[in-house]
Amino acid sequence: MKRLEWCAGIVAVLCCLAALSGCGRPEANEVRLGVNAELTGSKPAVGASCKNAAELLAAQVNQMGGVKLGDKAYTLKLFIEDNEDKAESAAAAAQKLITQNGVVAVIGPNASGNAIPAARICEDAQTPMVSPWSTNPKTTEGKKYVFRACFIDDFQGQVMAKFARENLKADTAAVLYDVASEYNKGIAEFFKKFFEESGGKVVAFESYTKGDMDFSSQLTKIKGATPQVLFLPNYYNEVPLQVQQARRLGLTCPIIGSDSWGSEELLKLGGPDLEGSFFSTHYAPDIATEKARKFIRDYQERYGKTPDDVAALTYDAGSLILAALAQAGTPDRQKLRDALASIREFEGVTGKMSFKGTGDPIKSAVILQIKSGKFTYHASVAP
């Protein structure tokens, strides 16, 4: 905490120096937008999807004549920083984008463990930030300059608890989660709270730490508790190993997860052991609206694959900023922040979002099932 506060102080000093020297100021005919993404580290697929979608949006905007503010058109210029999927690197990336690159706003980070410290930097520097994928409440909590394009974890935890109770008819559940991750820990606790409030019982609540590869001790305890469902609110690069080890130990109950499962890397790594599993996420390509179908077509044409939820949410995060810029009429951070805060309804490729005066949208979740090695729409859940 003290280190982050120290970083925030450095940001303020560098902002002043940049303003005095003129260094980092955009050209008169350009609007600069920052992207703070997990390009390396443990979630490179997340960073790649974020970068791809941001670059697609920028290319489309510039092909259409740029960002039109009043009677003037500006070229949209992206500055993309790799946060290495580390909290301190995410904070440093935010600092660089603001002070050295002079961006008007920042898209990202995506993982909550990175978004929370970066949000503190953006808030202190009074620079708007929109996280595509960070669902932890702490990302936007108590902040005026930080927004997101996704639902938050208490809603997601409630959705999966309700799904387990009503759709899977589970009276008992087990949870395995990364205790060192804000995202994993937060959603695990919300799931437990709502599952037990609805009359169910969490018979095992086991944890591990990022980087662990052997989960046999925790899974043996879970098997001994004979749960009717196993909840794994963990990232796509961790879940396959956990599921494979659970099945090898003889756990046969349904396995469910959260929006951190959404990368196709999960399918490649997990194989048939994941067949039949369910998880909550932000959009389903097979029930997409016309707006979403166009985005999917454009993304497939440019990158040769179907966009995942991070890509779709990044596109929405960028589109939110562009809509607010058009309303503000100027590439000014304060006026852009005020315009973002005034948005009440927005239709993105991940669906309709309603804002009630905070940075958190109210929007529906979808449940996907892994069938025949593919993500398949199963159900929608409204707030």
Side-chain angles (χ1 to χ4, degrees):
M1 177 65 77
K2 288 182 179 178
R3 189 164 188 169
L4 290 172
E5 288 173 352
W6 177 82
C7 288
I10 293 295
V11 169
V13 171
L14 291 175
C15 280
C16 293
L17 291 174
L20 288 171
S21 66
C23 180
R25 287 180 177 171
E27 298 294 328
N29 62 343
E30 68 183 23
V31 170
R32 295 183 174 187
L33 190 58
V35 178
N36 189 341
E38 293 77 359
L39 298 176
T40 59
S42 63
K43 307 177 190 67
V46 168
S49 292
C50 180
K51 177 175 178 288
N52 286 348
E55 289 181 335
L56 171 63
L57 180 63
Q60 290 175 335
V61 167
N62 289 329
Q63 284 169 4
M64 295 292 289
V67 181
K68 295 182 175 60
L69 305 179
D71 58 357
K72 188 173 179 181
Y74 296 77
T75 298
L76 182 59
K77 185 172 182 179
L78 293 184
F79 288 80
I80 299 174
E81 285 295 318
D82 177 14
N83 63 41
E84 304 175 308
D85 192 24
K86 297 177 182 175
E88 291 186 4
S89 298
Q95 175 182 315
K96 181 180 179 184
L97 289 167
I98 295 166
T99 59
Q100 294 185 33
N101 301 134
V103 301
V104 68
V106 178
I107 298 173
N110 295 284
S112 293
N114 304 324
I116 293 169
R120 294 190 192 112
I121 298 295
C122 289
E123 182 73 10
D124 288 343
Q126 299 184 346
T127 301
M129 165 184 151
V130 182
S131 174
W133 199 53
S134 171
T135 50
N136 191 292
K138 293 179 184 175
T139 299
T140 58
E141 202 169 71
K143 301 180 181 71
K144 295 181 178 178
Y145 292 83
V146 182
F147 304 81
R148 72 177 102 216
C150 54
F151 49 67
I152 58 177
D153 284 341
D154 55 352
F155 171 63
Q156 187 172 201
Q158 187 173 16
V159 164
M160 292 315 292
K162 185 177 180 181
F163 179 75
R165 293 283 291 142
E166 297 182 0
N167 294 65
L168 301 180
K169 309 298 182 188
D171 293 323
T172 59
V175 183
L176 174 65
Y177 66 99
D178 180 357
V179 72
S181 164
E182 293 276 3
Y183 168 83
N184 306 49
K185 183 172 180 288
I187 197 167
E189 291 173 345
F190 282 123
F191 175 86
K192 183 176 187 293
K193 172 179 183 287
F194 289 115
F195 191 82
E196 293 187 335
E197 283 181 357
S198 66
K201 184 177 181 181
V202 174
V203 294
F205 198 65
E206 296 292 321
S207 65
Y208 65 95
T209 300
K210 182 177 179 178
D212 288 355
M213 301 292 284
D214 182 1
F215 309 97
S216 56
S217 175
Q218 298 95 322
L219 291 169
T220 297
K221 291 180 184 176
I222 287 172
K223 184 186 176 187
T226 62
Q228 294 172 318
V229 65
L230 172 60
F231 183 45
L232 300 176
N234 308 319
Y235 287 104
Y236 71 88
N237 57 323
E238 300 170 318
V239 168
L241 197 55
Q242 293 165 358
V243 171
Q244 288 160 1
Q245 291 182 15
R247 295 307 189 206
R248 279 205 298 271
L249 282 170
L251 269 165
T252 57
C253 64
I255 297 178
I256 61 176
S258 52
D259 65 320
S260 50
W261 284 33
S263 170
E264 290 196 354
E265 288 295 309
L266 178 100
L267 302 174
K268 295 176 186 174
L269 296 170
D273 286 316
L274 280 162
E275 193 68 14
S277 300
F278 299 91
F279 65 97
S280 56
T281 190
H282 306 270
Y283 97 127
D286 42 356
I287 60 160
T289 61
E290 177 50 40
K291 185 171 188 174
R293 286 198 293 273
K294 181 182 184 310
F295 162 70
I296 292 168
R297 286 194 303 271
D298 293 343
Y299 192 97
Q300 287 174 327
E301 184 177 336
R302 187 178 176 98
Y303 301 111
K305 58 184 177 181
T306 301
D308 59 17
D309 60 338
V310 175
L313 289 167
T314 298
Y315 197 85
D316 281 351
S319 298
L320 269 169
I321 292 171
L322 292 173
L325 270 172
Q327 183 175 322
T330 173
D332 175 87
R333 290 173 179 168
Q334 183 59 48
K335 291 180 179 176
L336 172 59
R337 178 267 160 203
D338 293 343
L340 274 167
S342 72
I343 290 176
R344 291 294 177 265
E345 300 288 338
F346 181 82
E347 183 165 358
V349 299
T350 61
K352 292 182 180 177
M353 308 177 199
S354 297
F355 291 86
K356 304 293 183 185
T358 73
D360 301 331
I362 299 169
K363 58 190 295 190
S364 297
V366 296
I367 305 291
L368 298 186
Q369 185 178 23
I370 298 173
K371 294 174 70 174
S372 303
K374 296 180 180 178
F375 296 142
T376 305
Y377 172 77
H378 182 75
S380 297
V381 183

